[in-house]
Amino acid sequence: MKVALIGPGVMEIPPDKWGAVEMMIWDYTQIMRALGHRVEIINTPDKELIKFEVEHGRYDIVHLHYDVFSDIISDLVPLCKTLIVSSHYPYINTPHMWGRDGYGPHFARMRENKDYWIFASSKKDIETYKEFGAANPDNIWLSKLGVRCAPYQFNEYATFDTTICFSQVCDRKRQWLLEEVMSPDLRIDIFGRREPGKYRGESYHGELPRNILNQSITNYSNFVLLSEVENTTTLVVKEALICGLGVVVSEENAVELDTSKSFIDVIPESKMTDIPYIREVILKNKKHSRQIRKEIRSYGIDAFGLENIIAYEYIPKLESLL
């Protein structure tokens, strides 16, 4: 197959530091090329250039990964054999937030999917499209997101008796809450691109280059992220598991996780104000997870390894559309 993946054109692909969508597009490209497919990345904010590239690229599949380009979806349909559109907007299933972000017009255009497919990253997203009038519900498919395992270092033993939180740093991710949870016996190192908000900056270590972060995650004992809103289990949680770390997450971030696993702890929303409870859960998870890192990594790869997801789920779906 000849496939084009369209990125936001906001930063380079692969990104030097943060950029979840950009890193995802790069990982898809690397894996699909290794499997023998011709994959090209279109990564520009120039919508006319996007249309030109699609028209002259003669692609079998074009997969648009940026819903802000929703106003050219109808233009792209006749320019390629098959068009797929995906949204990575975190509030897609939280409609009361659409007005704040001006998302309503993008959603309205995306749902007119008579002539193209929507690949959604969660069942919640699929239900939102259907509830708000998708033109063709049968053209909305689940497309699970995963992590390319190869770039990540794994050590059987943790270097630091410390918890890590690496993610976009913003109010929605609630790193400000972790400041209250920290104590002399619970250190939490926080990494990521920081936005203005409630978080005061305690134990903040900046935004690491991606290659350094990939080698550093495994040095920690466990991972915590208590997001208020997520579409599904975020990629950073899956990265932590593949690196051998136990995880402590909010209910919003536990959608895809097997919560029967002893190294996965979920903080109920009703407990988010109980600081001693949260602290105790993180400490217990850290102590336990340090002993079973191979088991954690094995689960992470089996459940979220992108190599298998692409080979056995994503590519068969693309081929069925040709």
Side-chain angles (χ1 to χ4, degrees):
M1 286 185 296
K2 187 178 183 184
V3 179
L5 303 178
I6 302 178
V10 176
M11 62 182 72
E12 63 183 359
I13 296 177
D16 177 53
K17 294 182 179 179
W18 224 254
V21 174
E22 289 79 7
M23 183 56 64
M24 180 198 67
I25 290 173
W26 178 249
D27 287 345
Y28 270 60
T29 301
Q30 295 300 102
I31 295 170
M32 292 179 70
R33 284 175 177 171
L35 292 172
H37 300 283
R38 297 175 63 191
V39 184
E40 297 177 1
I41 297 172
I42 301 173
N43 188 46
T44 173
D46 186 333
K47 297 174 185 178
E48 292 304 314
L49 181 55
I50 293 171
K51 289 188 283 186
F52 177 85
E53 294 284 353
V54 169
E55 181 178 10
H56 294 280
R58 299 181 182 274
Y59 299 106
D60 298 308
I61 300 282
V62 172
H63 193 161
L64 172 63
H65 281 280
Y66 195 44
D67 43 16
V68 173
F69 295 152
S70 63
D71 57 339
I72 63 169
I73 290 176
S74 59
D75 297 326
L76 295 178
V77 169
L79 301 180
C80 57
K81 293 180 181 179
T82 302
L83 178 66
I84 300 168
V85 179
S86 290
S87 172
H88 303 286
Y89 175 60
Y91 295 106
I92 193 168
N93 46 60
T94 314
H96 70 268
M97 297 296 291
W98 297 356
R100 185 198 71 174
D101 299 330
Y103 186 74
H106 299 302
F107 184 89
R109 286 189 284 262
M110 284 188 65
R111 71 184 178 187
E112 298 300 322
N113 65 324
K114 293 179 181 178
D115 302 317
Y116 56 90
W117 278 258
I118 296 172
F119 276 20
S121 60
S122 74
K123 293 179 180 178
K124 289 196 300 182
D125 290 2
I126 292 175
E127 292 306 313
T128 300
Y129 283 115
K130 291 180 178 179
E131 180 182 353
F132 286 86
N136 188 347
D138 293 334
N139 282 7
I140 307 173
W141 293 2
L142 180 66
S143 184
K144 183 178 176 181
L145 302 181
V147 176
R148 183 164 65 102
C149 304
Y152 294 87
Q153 175 70 28
F154 170 69
N155 299 332
E156 186 174 352
Y157 302 103
T159 303
F160 309 132
D161 184 25
T162 305
T163 300
I164 186 173
C165 174
F166 59 97
S167 175
Q168 180 186 20
V169 180
C170 59
D171 286 351
R172 176 172 64 88
K173 303 285 187 176
R174 292 199 287 211
Q175 285 88 354
W176 58 268
L177 180 59
L178 298 181
E179 288 185 301
E180 300 181 38
V181 174
M182 295 178 198
S183 66
D185 60 343
L186 178 59
R187 175 178 169 180
I188 304 174
D189 285 352
I190 296 175
F191 298 88
R193 178 170 297 167
R194 185 177 174 186
E195 296 181 0
K198 298 178 184 178
Y199 175 60
R200 299 186 304 275
E202 184 174 349
S203 200
Y204 177 61
H205 297 276
E207 183 183 1
L208 289 179
R210 172 49 69 169
N211 62 326
I212 295 176
L213 178 64
N214 290 353
Q215 301 301 306
S216 302
I217 297 168
T218 193
N219 293 329
Y220 286 83
S221 294
N222 67 339
F223 170 88
V224 60
L225 185 62
L226 304 179
S227 304
E228 182 179 13
V229 175
E230 298 289 0
N231 290 355
T232 188
T233 300
T234 52
L235 288 175
V236 292
V237 177
K238 299 171 183 180
E239 291 174 72
L241 290 165
I242 284 173
C243 292
L245 279 62
V247 300
V248 179
V249 297
S250 59
E251 292 174 314
E252 284 283 304
N253 228 327
V255 177
E256 295 180 66
L257 301 179
D258 180 354
T259 56
S260 70
K261 299 294 185 183
S262 63
F263 49 82
I264 296 174
D265 284 293
V266 180
I267 305 293
E269 194 62 31
S270 62
K271 286 284 193 178
M272 283 299 172
T273 57
D274 190 339
I275 301 304
Y277 170 80
I278 297 173
R279 183 182 299 123
E280 184 64 22
V281 171
I282 296 172
L283 284 168
K284 286 183 178 179
N285 180 279
K286 180 176 68 167
K287 181 178 180 180
H288 175 65
S289 298
R290 287 173 63 90
Q291 313 303 316
I292 54 170
R293 287 165 64 90
K294 284 186 176 180
E295 178 185 340
I296 297 172
R297 175 174 169 80
S298 179
Y299 165 75
I301 292 173
D302 290 345
F304 305 117
L306 188 59
E307 292 84 350
N308 287 337
I309 291 172
I310 287 180
Y312 301 113
E313 298 182 32
Y314 183 71
I315 288 177
K317 287 175 181 175
L318 300 192
E319 292 174 337
S320 73
L321 298 178
L322 298 179

